[in-house]
Amino acid sequence: MLPRVADSLSFLYLDMVRVVQDDTGVCAQIQTPDHRTDLVYIPTAALSCLLLGPGVSITTPALTTLARHGTSVVCVGAGGVRAYAAVLPDSLTTNWLEQQVATWADPARRLDVAIRMYGMRFQDDKLPQTVTLDQLRGMEGQRMKALYKILAQQHGIGRFRRNYHPDQWHAQDPVNLALSAANTCLYGIVHAALLALGVSPALGFVHAGTQHAFVYDIADLYKAEITLPLAFALHQSTNPEQEARRRFREDLRLLRLLPRIVQDVLALLTPARTDAPGADADTESRSERRDVEMVHLWDPKAGVLPAGVNYASGGD
Amino acid sequence: MPSMLVIATTAVPDHLRGALSRWTSEVVPGIFVGTVSARVRDQLWQAVTETVGNGAAVLVHPAPTEQGYAIRTAGTRRRVPIDFDGLTLIRMTATPQVKSEQSPP
């Protein structure tokens, strides 16, 4: 599971095409102006995320093939500006989802994860032991302001203000456009990684109240390092959105982002090793056992019990 | 650092096949496989593009892209590599619909 998610191609963006399953595979049909239909075959099994832009229609057999290969399909706005909906791949272990829900539902453990996330963003371990979430949010805001200022100075831009106005999309400056495009790509990749792990994109630790709360949590870990410098570097681009996607893909290769996302998510969801040293090994062996057996019965005392067994006592 | 290349040719002059076979093995008719340096690869490809004539050729070699390889083509074929924001996929150009333009029988 793990290496497969990390090894695959990151994403493919399509718009204004019809995606169908034919005798040989999944292909995008492109209508040419002279009423011919060109075909582009999609490497479904090698792809981790397919972004469908406006004007795409897709058939059920094509979606089925994509789901069977564990490719997450995300419906997005023009140029991948917004993510609207996603199709979840089938046949996943629920081990990490259960881990996430258990952590999320326990206020102490949830706070611990939130603090670890802020710690990862600061990239330093100088956080005081008794810091509150409130203080951390303030520190994070200061950091972002300082970073905007430094980047604007580096690229000779007078003043930068982060704007996000989907209704006046083309009136924005190139940096804002590139940043939105790159962030949406980042959300897509993070979303795909989360779905591939089988965790819920909706249960965030810092963000809340949206189906993408956990996506925003995880994406925030990488923005300062990846999408912000990229967007500022494109302040003179004539096509900042496409350029951002192209550069972002280059960066993905360089930074090997998918394996890192998977690693980081698993590290965040794994409880800190303060309790019994055998706890981790137990989780590990349980997850392996689950992969084989797929379905179990829950018991508050005995833990996980095999399914498909008749537990009736007595009688015949 | 030499790396592997594959060149597939269709209807190219015999002397080009000779030139290619000096550096590579023709494993099946028209398909050349070899391990050469980037410099030799570029010179071989230049020889291909100069003499391809009415034929067609395609070169596939390792490259530091997300896919791990790059594609170069010479001559015209129905299959055209196109770039999807950095991901190269093959577009199959449809044949002209002669039948639909004819009058019904």
Side-chain angles (χ1 to χ4, degrees), chain A residues 162-163 169-182 231 240-241 244:
Chain A
R162 176 66 177 136
N163 286 312
W169 186 249
H170 292 285
Q172 299 174 75
D173 57 285
V175 177
N176 270 305
L177 281 175
L179 190 53
S180 299
E241 293 160 79

Side-chain angles (χ1 to χ4, degrees), chain B residues 60-76:
Chain B
V60 181
H61 64 89
T65 62
E66 197 188 356
Q67 284 165 301
Y69 58 84
I71 302 172
R72 290 189 232 172
T73 56
T76 18

